[in-house]
Amino acid sequence: MTTVISRRDPDSRGYFGEFGGRYVPETLVEPVEELARAYFGARDDAAFLAELNRLLTHYVGRPTPLYEAARLSEAAGGARIFLKREDLTHTGAHKINNALGQALLAARMGKRRIVAETGAGQHGVASATACALLGLECRVYMGAEDMDRQALNVFRMRLLGAEVCSVNAGSKTLKDAINEAMRDWVTNVADTYYLLGSVLGPHPYPLMVREFQSVIGREARAQMLEQTGRLPTAVVACVGGGSNAMGVFDAFIEDHEVRLIGVEAGGEQIVRGRHAARFAGGSAGVLQGTRTFVLQDEDGNIELTHSISAGLDYAAVGPEHAWLRAQGRAEYAYETDEEALEAFQTLARLEGILPALESSHAIAHAQRIARALGPSAILLVNLSGRGDKDVQTVEKSLAKR
């Protein structure tokens, strides 16, 4: 496997069209500039890419398989459905691709202390794993509500040597965890690296995270051609911040015959505070360092969000997603908590695979559109993570029903 960093950069100020940029306090201007210089140097460094490639192959377990879910396809009654099995990576989700890349960059920059945020816990686990591997100190900020519903991942992080800090402010979820991680970074910029988990934040994070995750799309494109002799009709992926979706979309951007479909969290219903579907109820605004689509009220106050999936429970989406939608290159739908729960159970019973609740949103949407697309169509679904972490949440939700 060869790691190749793509070259679809934003402009010099970090904008994808009208979205992106850098909205940071003065104390972070130079650290962000330092990060950009380090990253643009590293991505052209053959030795850095070789080490990342070695770890992705021999530690993460890449390439991950592309699996045709025949029984799921039959039940959906239409298109053939293929799953990109990111759930089979070390740590159980796509997050490890980016965590390793950024941890290597931090070590290259001489930063020995890592701070990270996490929602569903998978980025926290991946960050703790990368830090354990490279001998770096790790502190992970996590909302108190997310710590409760993702208790297994909290314990995993602590076993890996990370300090997990509960965030009790605001909605006690991912947005608040990012706030605390950024405060820590501002306070400790000299020796600390902020390992951001999605295609969010100030430039160069949206670009950098997408490029570290682009290995997903490169593999999937080659595997699809090898297994079917053609490109998929559509690529489907769940979208919280949107790193797994950007990772799989990346290789297909120039293939305009391939539909790119992101699936957000419809929560309970599209009513203020009860969902996290930014494109269904949001507007352009600035949150946590970048201009993008945000769930906000008329005065610009950030709204509360809800999703059964901790990883999708966030008020903003990556700026490149907002740009792809504005360009008409990608389309965005949503699925509700109930629909994700049904998809979780369906994939378990038909294919013997427990998907993360995040990924279950993408599975639900693939089932929804498969019949309309018909048997000649092929759907590529990015199965971004495994569902072990969500079993207790599913159990409690089903008991309530």
Side-chain angles (χ1 to χ4, degrees), residues 179-192:
N179 283 338
E180 290 304 315
M182 294 188 81
R183 286 192 188 100
D184 188 316
W185 188 29
V186 169
T187 306
N188 301 286
V189 291
D191 68 342
T192 297

Side-chain angles (χ1 to χ4, degrees), residues 6 51 57 61 118 126 136 146 150 179 270 276 329 332 378:
S6 63
E51 178 61 7
T57 303
T118 197
L136 304 173
D146 290 340
Q150 299 292 337
N179 283 338
I270 305 301
R329 181 61 193 95
Y332 295 84
I378 294 176

Side-chain angles (χ1 to χ4, degrees), residues 242-270:
S243 65
N244 93 89
M246 282 310 312
V248 73
F249 288 176
D250 185 70
F252 299 94
I253 295 289
E254 302 305 322
D255 301 307
H256 291 277
E257 72 276 19
V258 178
R259 291 171 63 187
L260 305 178
I261 305 173
V263 186
E264 299 186 284
E268 294 173 350
Q269 56 181 318
I270 305 301

Side-chain angles (χ1 to χ4, degrees), residues 6 16 50 81-83 108 111 140 148 150 153 197 212 224 229 238 253 271 277 296 310 327 335 343 364 374:
S6 63
F16 300 93
I81 301 174
F82 286 76
L83 306 178
R108 176 187 174 97
K111 310 287 187 180
V140 179
D148 181 59
Q150 299 292 337
N153 273 344
F212 283 136
M224 184 62 70
C238 64
I253 295 289
V271 170
Q296 57 188 343
Q327 295 292 305
E335 298 290 339

Side-chain angles (χ1 to χ4, degrees), residues 64-380:
T64 57
L66 181 70
Y67 167 69
E68 182 169 7
R71 281 168 50 77
L72 179 68
S73 302
E74 182 181 4
R80 296 168 68 187
I81 301 174
F82 286 76
L83 306 178
K84 180 58 172 164
R85 297 292 306 278
E86 291 301 290
D87 59 309
L88 295 180
T89 60
H90 178 46
T91 72
H94 71 291
K95 294 293 189 180
I96 190 66
N97 305 320
N98 169 60
L100 266 180
Q102 286 199 59
L104 284 173
L105 182 62
R108 176 187 174 97
M109 294 172 68
K111 310 287 187 180
R112 307 304 300 175
R113 179 176 179 271
I114 302 296
V115 294
E117 84 298 325
T118 197
Q122 287 301 126
H123 175 61
V125 169
S127 297
T129 298
C131 288
L133 177 68
L134 299 177
L136 304 173
E137 180 185 345
C138 184
R139 174 181 286 185
V140 179
Y141 290 92
M142 191 171 189
E145 180 178 331
D146 290 340
M147 288 183 71
D148 181 59
R149 57 181 169 176
Q150 299 292 337
L152 175 61
N153 273 344
V154 173
F155 187 58
R156 291 172 73 195
M157 285 182 265
R158 288 172 172 157
L159 283 174
L160 290 160
E163 178 187 3
V164 184
C165 300
S166 177
V167 178
N168 290 286
S171 60
K172 305 178 185 179
T173 56
L174 181 59
K175 171 179 65 69
D176 312 291
I178 293 175
N179 283 338
E180 290 304 315
M182 294 188 81
R183 286 192 188 100
D184 188 316
W185 188 29
V186 169
T187 306
N188 301 286
V189 291
D191 68 342
T192 297
Y193 181 98
Y194 178 23
L195 205 166
L196 184 56
S198 197
V199 285
L200 300 163
H203 175 67
Y205 281 110
L207 169 66
M208 179 169 61
V209 176
R210 183 249 288 167
E211 290 194 325
F212 283 136
Q213 293 292 3
S214 65
V215 64
I216 303 170
R218 287 195 303 276
E219 288 178 4
R221 192 178 192 281
Q223 291 165 327
M224 184 62 70
L225 290 171
E226 180 182 357
Q227 291 185 33
T228 71
R230 52 172 283 199
L231 294 177
T233 308
V235 180
V236 183
C238 64
V239 177
S243 65
N244 93 89
M246 282 310 312
V248 73
F249 288 176
D250 185 70
F252 299 94
I253 295 289
E254 302 305 322
D255 301 307
H256 291 277
E257 72 276 19
V258 178
R259 291 171 63 187
L260 305 178
I261 305 173
V263 186
E264 299 186 284
E268 294 173 350
Q269 56 181 318
I270 305 301
V271 170
R272 252 180 204 174
R274 304 315 305 155
H275 70 97
R278 287 65 48 101
F279 293 125
S283 56
V286 174
L287 180 63
Q288 294 173 328
T290 193
R291 186 175 192 274
T292 184
F293 249 66
V294 182
L295 288 172
Q296 57 188 343
D297 65 20
E298 293 81 1
D299 298 318
N301 299 308
I302 304 305
E303 294 178 354
L304 293 176
T305 57
H306 163 78
S307 173
I308 192 172
S309 159
L312 303 186
D313 194 355
Y314 183 62
V317 66
E320 193 170 3
H321 281 292
W323 180 71
L324 288 173
R325 179 177 178 269
Q327 295 292 305
R329 181 61 193 95
E331 55 196 275
Y332 295 84
Y334 62 83
E335 298 290 339
T336 66
D337 290 350
E338 286 294 314
E339 289 154 348
L341 270 173
E342 288 298 328
F344 183 101
Q345 296 173 86
T346 297
L347 194 64
R349 291 169 180 167
L350 294 182
E351 298 288 352
I353 298 171
L354 295 178
L357 280 171
E358 290 79 13
S359 312
S360 299
H361 288 72
I363 296 293
H365 196 68
Q367 292 176 276
R368 180 185 301 279
I369 65 175
R371 186 181 297 275
L373 290 175
S376 64
I378 294 176
L379 288 175
L380 166 60

Side-chain angles (χ1 to χ4, degrees), residues 1 50-63 90:
M1 185 186 74
E51 178 61 7
L52 177 57
N53 176 66
R54 183 185 72 82
L55 290 173
L56 289 174
T57 303
H58 299 294
Y59 189 70
V60 174
R62 306 208 70 91
H90 178 46

